[in-house]
Amino acid sequence: NAGVMQNPRHLVRRRGQEARLRCSPMKGHSHVYWYRQLPEEGLKFMVYLQKENIIDESGMPKERFSAEFPKEGPSILRIQQVVRGDSAAYFCASAIRTGAYEQYFGPGTRLTVT
Amino acid sequence: AQTVTQSQPEMSVQEAETVTLSCTYDTSESDYYLFWYKQPPSRQMILVIRQEAYKQQNATENRFSVNFQKAAKSFSLKISDSQLGDAAMYFCAYRSDQETSGSRLTFGEGTQLTVNP
């Protein structure tokens, strides 16, 4: 039973480019969370999605960031016109249902903006 | 809004000894969950232990145990018989039991644990 998969593991983008981060939840999980970890900091919640719905995006920056979780395929976190401050590790976690005890984390995508 | 504070940026312990990592949190809710996650150099987040706020008994998982003091809003992690593989960043996390909070985790800033041979 494969765990949460994220790709790419490392992504380098120049300022102004777009970054697309993908997350495939564990089999049977329909709830996905995205977190961002800036250097030397803890993880910060960004967005919570269920299939085809954004449930809570209170942690997402208002501009340039968007997320989706389509009926088929992985969840995508999209960052437009990246800036140096977007350099961070982005983690995806999945859960089988709302209120589930545990969120299972993927290995993260490390985004570097040059 | 809930906050989680880890006041020890770094801790060290000798192999086979015991170490306690501190965590305090602030919430007005009565029902919630607390977690300790481990992040080794690989950066993979690994769940170490979970505590439900409604349970008075402290959670235990092998060499890992917690001291949960609900009134004091304190949730410390004790690692017994420390091993070299325990070296990692440890994060304390809070999760509301309210539907409106959507089950998101609120993390502390982390404690870097070094295990000395």
Side-chain angles (χ1 to χ4, degrees), chain A residues 36-47:
Chain A
R36 178 166 68 174
Q37 184 178 29
L38 295 170
E40 310 300 327
E41 294 187 11
L43 282 73
K44 298 286 195 297
F45 167 78
M46 298 182 74
V47 62

PDB file of all heavy atoms in Angstrom, chain A residues 36-47:
ATOM      1  N   ARG A  36       3.244  24.345   4.345  1.00  0.00           N
ATOM      2  CA  ARG A  36       4.512  24.925   3.882  1.00  0.00           C
ATOM      3  C   ARG A  36       5.463  25.041   5.069  1.00  0.00           C
ATOM      4  O   ARG A  36       5.059  25.453   6.178  1.00  0.00           O
ATOM      5  CB  ARG A  36       4.273  26.309   3.266  1.00  0.00           C
ATOM      6  CG  ARG A  36       5.552  27.000   2.817  1.00  0.00           C
ATOM      7  CD  ARG A  36       5.267  28.173   1.916  1.00  0.00           C
ATOM      8  NE  ARG A  36       4.614  29.285   2.590  1.00  0.00           N
ATOM      9  CZ  ARG A  36       4.382  30.465   2.020  1.00  0.00           C
ATOM     10  NH1 ARG A  36       4.754  30.675   0.772  1.00  0.00           N
ATOM     11  NH2 ARG A  36       3.781  31.427   2.685  1.00  0.00           N
ATOM     12  N   GLN A  37       6.709  24.686   4.818  1.00  0.00           N
ATOM     13  CA  GLN A  37       7.743  24.800   5.852  1.00  0.00           C
ATOM     14  C   GLN A  37       8.846  25.707   5.341  1.00  0.00           C
ATOM     15  O   GLN A  37       9.650  25.304   4.486  1.00  0.00           O
ATOM     16  CB  GLN A  37       8.301  23.429   6.230  1.00  0.00           C
ATOM     17  CG  GLN A  37       9.305  23.489   7.381  1.00  0.00           C
ATOM     18  CD  GLN A  37       9.830  22.119   7.784  1.00  0.00           C
ATOM     19  OE1 GLN A  37       9.907  21.196   6.967  1.00  0.00           O
ATOM     20  NE2 GLN A  37      10.183  21.968   9.051  1.00  0.00           N
ATOM     21  N   LEU A  38       8.877  26.928   5.852  1.00  0.00           N
ATOM     22  CA  LEU A  38       9.961  27.840   5.527  1.00  0.00           C
ATOM     23  C   LEU A  38      11.219  27.404   6.274  1.00  0.00           C
ATOM     24  O   LEU A  38      11.126  26.711   7.303  1.00  0.00           O
ATOM     25  CB  LEU A  38       9.574  29.268   5.902  1.00  0.00           C
ATOM     26  CG  LEU A  38       8.403  29.855   5.096  1.00  0.00           C
ATOM     27  CD1 LEU A  38       7.939  31.162   5.700  1.00  0.00           C
ATOM     28  CD2 LEU A  38       8.789  30.033   3.643  1.00  0.00           C
ATOM     29  N   PRO A  39      12.395  27.801   5.799  1.00  0.00           N
ATOM     30  CA  PRO A  39      13.640  27.392   6.458  1.00  0.00           C
ATOM     31  C   PRO A  39      13.633  27.717   7.947  1.00  0.00           C
ATOM     32  O   PRO A  39      13.253  28.816   8.353  1.00  0.00           O
ATOM     33  CB  PRO A  39      14.704  28.189   5.704  1.00  0.00           C
ATOM     34  CG  PRO A  39      14.113  28.418   4.356  1.00  0.00           C
ATOM     35  CD  PRO A  39      12.640  28.596   4.597  1.00  0.00           C
ATOM     36  N   GLU A  40      14.034  26.759   8.746  1.00  0.00           N
ATOM     37  CA  GLU A  40      14.164  26.916  10.202  1.00  0.00           C
ATOM     38  C   GLU A  40      12.825  27.178  10.896  1.00  0.00           C
ATOM     39  O   GLU A  40      12.801  27.704  12.001  1.00  0.00           O
ATOM     40  CB  GLU A  40      15.143  28.061  10.544  1.00  0.00           C
ATOM     41  CG  GLU A  40      16.472  27.990   9.823  1.00  0.00           C
ATOM     42  CD  GLU A  40      17.242  26.716  10.136  1.00  0.00           C
ATOM     43  OE1 GLU A  40      17.138  26.215  11.266  1.00  0.00           O
ATOM     44  OE2 GLU A  40      17.940  26.210   9.231  1.00  0.00           O
ATOM     45  N   GLU A  41      11.712  26.806  10.279  1.00  0.00           N
ATOM     46  CA  GLU A  41      10.415  27.023  10.902  1.00  0.00           C
ATOM     47  C   GLU A  41       9.602  25.738  10.910  1.00  0.00           C
ATOM     48  O   GLU A  41       9.958  24.738  10.280  1.00  0.00           O
ATOM     49  CB  GLU A  41       9.643  28.114  10.155  1.00  0.00           C
ATOM     50  CG  GLU A  41      10.265  29.491  10.258  1.00  0.00           C
ATOM     51  CD  GLU A  41       9.378  30.558   9.656  1.00  0.00           C
ATOM     52  OE1 GLU A  41       8.203  30.275   9.356  1.00  0.00           O
ATOM     53  OE2 GLU A  41       9.882  31.685   9.483  1.00  0.00           O
ATOM     54  N   GLY A  42       8.496  25.773  11.635  1.00  0.00           N
ATOM     55  CA  GLY A  42       7.572  24.647  11.631  1.00  0.00           C
ATOM     56  C   GLY A  42       6.669  24.702  10.412  1.00  0.00           C
ATOM     57  O   GLY A  42       6.707  25.642   9.623  1.00  0.00           O
ATOM     58  N   LEU A  43       5.866  23.681  10.255  1.00  0.00           N
ATOM     59  CA  LEU A  43       4.946  23.617   9.131  1.00  0.00           C
ATOM     60  C   LEU A  43       3.746  24.529   9.377  1.00  0.00           C
ATOM     61  O   LEU A  43       3.225  24.595  10.498  1.00  0.00           O
ATOM     62  CB  LEU A  43       4.447  22.181   8.925  1.00  0.00           C
ATOM     63  CG  LEU A  43       5.392  21.214   8.225  1.00  0.00           C
ATOM     64  CD1 LEU A  43       6.543  20.799   9.114  1.00  0.00           C
ATOM     65  CD2 LEU A  43       4.626  19.982   7.739  1.00  0.00           C
ATOM     66  N   LYS A  44       3.319  25.188   8.317  1.00  0.00           N
ATOM     67  CA  LYS A  44       2.152  26.073   8.405  1.00  0.00           C
ATOM     68  C   LYS A  44       1.083  25.590   7.431  1.00  0.00           C
ATOM     69  O   LYS A  44       1.380  25.347   6.254  1.00  0.00           O
ATOM     70  CB  LYS A  44       2.536  27.521   8.052  1.00  0.00           C
ATOM     71  CG  LYS A  44       3.564  28.142   8.990  1.00  0.00           C
ATOM     72  CD  LYS A  44       2.982  28.499  10.323  1.00  0.00           C
ATOM     73  CE  LYS A  44       3.857  29.441  11.145  1.00  0.00           C
ATOM     74  NZ  LYS A  44       5.139  28.877  11.511  1.00  0.00           N
ATOM     75  N   PHE A  45      -0.137  25.474   7.916  1.00  0.00           N
ATOM     76  CA  PHE A  45      -1.255  25.032   7.099  1.00  0.00           C
ATOM     77  C   PHE A  45      -1.525  26.014   5.966  1.00  0.00           C
ATOM     78  O   PHE A  45      -1.478  27.240   6.157  1.00  0.00           O
ATOM     79  CB  PHE A  45      -2.500  24.903   7.978  1.00  0.00           C
ATOM     80  CG  PHE A  45      -3.786  24.752   7.223  1.00  0.00           C
ATOM     81  CD1 PHE A  45      -4.132  23.538   6.660  1.00  0.00           C
ATOM     82  CD2 PHE A  45      -4.629  25.838   7.043  1.00  0.00           C
ATOM     83  CE1 PHE A  45      -5.320  23.392   5.957  1.00  0.00           C
ATOM     84  CE2 PHE A  45      -5.817  25.711   6.345  1.00  0.00           C
ATOM     85  CZ  PHE A  45      -6.165  24.487   5.799  1.00  0.00           C
ATOM     86  N   MET A  46      -1.803  25.465   4.800  1.00  0.00           N
ATOM     87  CA  MET A  46      -2.153  26.313   3.666  1.00  0.00           C
ATOM     88  C   MET A  46      -3.604  26.095   3.232  1.00  0.00           C
ATOM     89  O   MET A  46      -4.406  27.019   3.205  1.00  0.00           O
ATOM     90  CB  MET A  46      -1.234  26.034   2.485  1.00  0.00           C
ATOM     91  CG  MET A  46       0.230  26.317   2.744  1.00  0.00           C
ATOM     92  SD  MET A  46       1.230  26.009   1.287  1.00  0.00           S
ATOM     93  CE  MET A  46       0.788  27.420   0.281  1.00  0.00           C
ATOM     94  N   VAL A  47      -3.931  24.831   2.895  1.00  0.00           N
ATOM     95  CA  VAL A  47      -5.243  24.573   2.312  1.00  0.00           C
ATOM     96  C   VAL A  47      -5.653  23.136   2.578  1.00  0.00           C
ATOM     97  O   VAL A  47      -4.809  22.246   2.702  1.00  0.00           O
ATOM     98  CB  VAL A  47      -5.217  24.879   0.793  1.00  0.00           C
ATOM     99  CG1 VAL A  47      -4.217  23.972   0.077  1.00  0.00           C
ATOM    100  CG2 VAL A  47      -6.594  24.785   0.165  1.00  0.00           C
TER     101      VAL A  47
END
